[in-house]
Amino acid sequence: SRGCPFKCAFCASHTVHGRLIRYKSQERISSEFESIINKYNFKSVVIEDDLFASQKEKFISLSGKLSNKYKDIKFLLPQGLSVAVLNEEIIDAMIKMGIKEAAIAIESGSEYVQKKIIKKNVSLEKAKRILEYLRKKEFNIYVNFILGFPGETEQMMNETTAYINSIDVDWVYIFHALPLPGSEIYDALVSKKIIE
């Protein structure tokens, strides 16, 4: 798919892909996999998707078809998966499909930052539950966090580090906040004349 309906204040993806999600048909996806795997003999396939598995029923149906057809193929998801979209059923379908590792996009361990600064609104409790389920399934787990948002205090950053210390994952990626042109944060900093 391309496009994401979420309005995270730090993201500028909508300037390229828009907010309306556009999906390829299952037939087209199957045809593309057929070409990549059978014609070119690839053993790994990297899936780039703005909001992976957002159509739950279609994804579960497609993952079943792919898992039966391509048992020896390794599927990779380099983009951070959305906690809002994930649940146990989708995780099971991903594993059945051959996906054994992925990054989960949490971004902040502070409720205030989630709701008031970055507007991502990740349920930190749901994120913990998802991470625990992934661990139980022996999934390789990466998590993404960002520190240094405008208005984020040291205490809020400490809440994020405390959250990181409370979860069992394989890798933690910590990025520094950047005002990407097209993002809400960028526009706010320009309007306040903090950046040009």
Side-chain angles (χ1 to χ4, degrees):
S1 70
R2 284 291 178 262
C4 179
F6 297 119
K7 296 181 179 177
C8 304
F10 59 87
C11 184
S13 173
H14 66 278
T15 63
V16 177
H17 299 292
R19 299 215 187 270
L20 179 69
I21 303 179
R22 295 167 315 285
Y23 301 95
K24 290 182 180 180
S25 68
Q26 289 197 16
E27 294 74 25
R28 181 168 174 184
I29 294 168
S30 295
S31 169
E32 289 176 354
F33 279 129
E34 185 84 27
S35 175
I36 290 167
I37 294 165
N38 294 334
K39 185 176 179 183
Y40 297 106
N41 203 30
F42 281 99
K43 299 297 179 207
S44 297
V45 176
V46 177
I47 300 171
E48 297 279 355
D49 195 295
D50 285 342
L51 199 55
F52 186 74
S54 58
Q55 281 189 320
K56 178 182 161 188
E57 301 307 324
K58 285 187 178 181
F59 170 70
I60 289 170
S61 168
L62 179 65
S63 69
K65 291 174 190 169
L66 293 175
S67 64
N68 292 331
K69 207 168 187 183
Y70 305 116
K71 292 185 187 312
D72 299 325
I73 302 301
K74 182 177 182 181
F75 292 98
L76 303 166
L77 297 166
Q79 293 172 304
L81 297 178
S82 170
V83 172
V85 171
L86 289 177
N87 63 29
E88 290 80 357
E89 195 175 3
I90 286 175
I91 291 166
D92 289 344
M94 286 169 52
I95 292 167
K96 184 178 178 186
M97 188 176 151
I99 299 169
K100 295 181 173 55
E101 62 182 61
I104 310 301
I106 300 173
E107 319 305 8
S108 177
S110 164
E111 293 279 357
Y112 183 87
V113 172
Q114 284 286 346
K115 291 185 169 87
K116 302 293 184 182
I117 295 178
I118 65 173
K119 300 175 184 171
K120 189 169 179 76
N121 294 317
V122 167
S123 164
L124 295 174
E125 282 307 311
K126 180 183 179 187
K128 276 189 179 180
R129 195 176 72 246
I130 292 294
L131 294 173
E132 286 166 6
Y133 189 76
L134 288 167
R135 176 57 71 223
K136 195 164 70 173
K137 295 290 184 171
E138 299 180 356
F139 207 83
N140 290 327
I141 311 165
Y142 306 79
V143 285
N144 296 341
F145 288 91
I146 305 171
L147 292 174
F149 291 108
E152 185 178 25
T153 65
E154 186 175 347
Q155 179 187 338
M156 293 169 195
M157 287 188 259
N158 288 339
E159 289 172 19
T160 293
T161 55
Y163 186 86
I164 290 168
N165 287 323
S166 75
I167 57 179
D168 178 19
V169 297
D170 298 295
W171 289 93
V172 177
Y173 290 107
I174 300 176
F175 304 96
H176 61 278
L178 290 172
L180 298 173
S183 69
E184 183 181 322
I185 287 174
Y186 175 88
D187 293 341
L189 291 174
V190 168
S191 71
K192 292 175 183 171
K193 300 189 182 337
I194 294 171
I195 59 174
E196 293 180 4

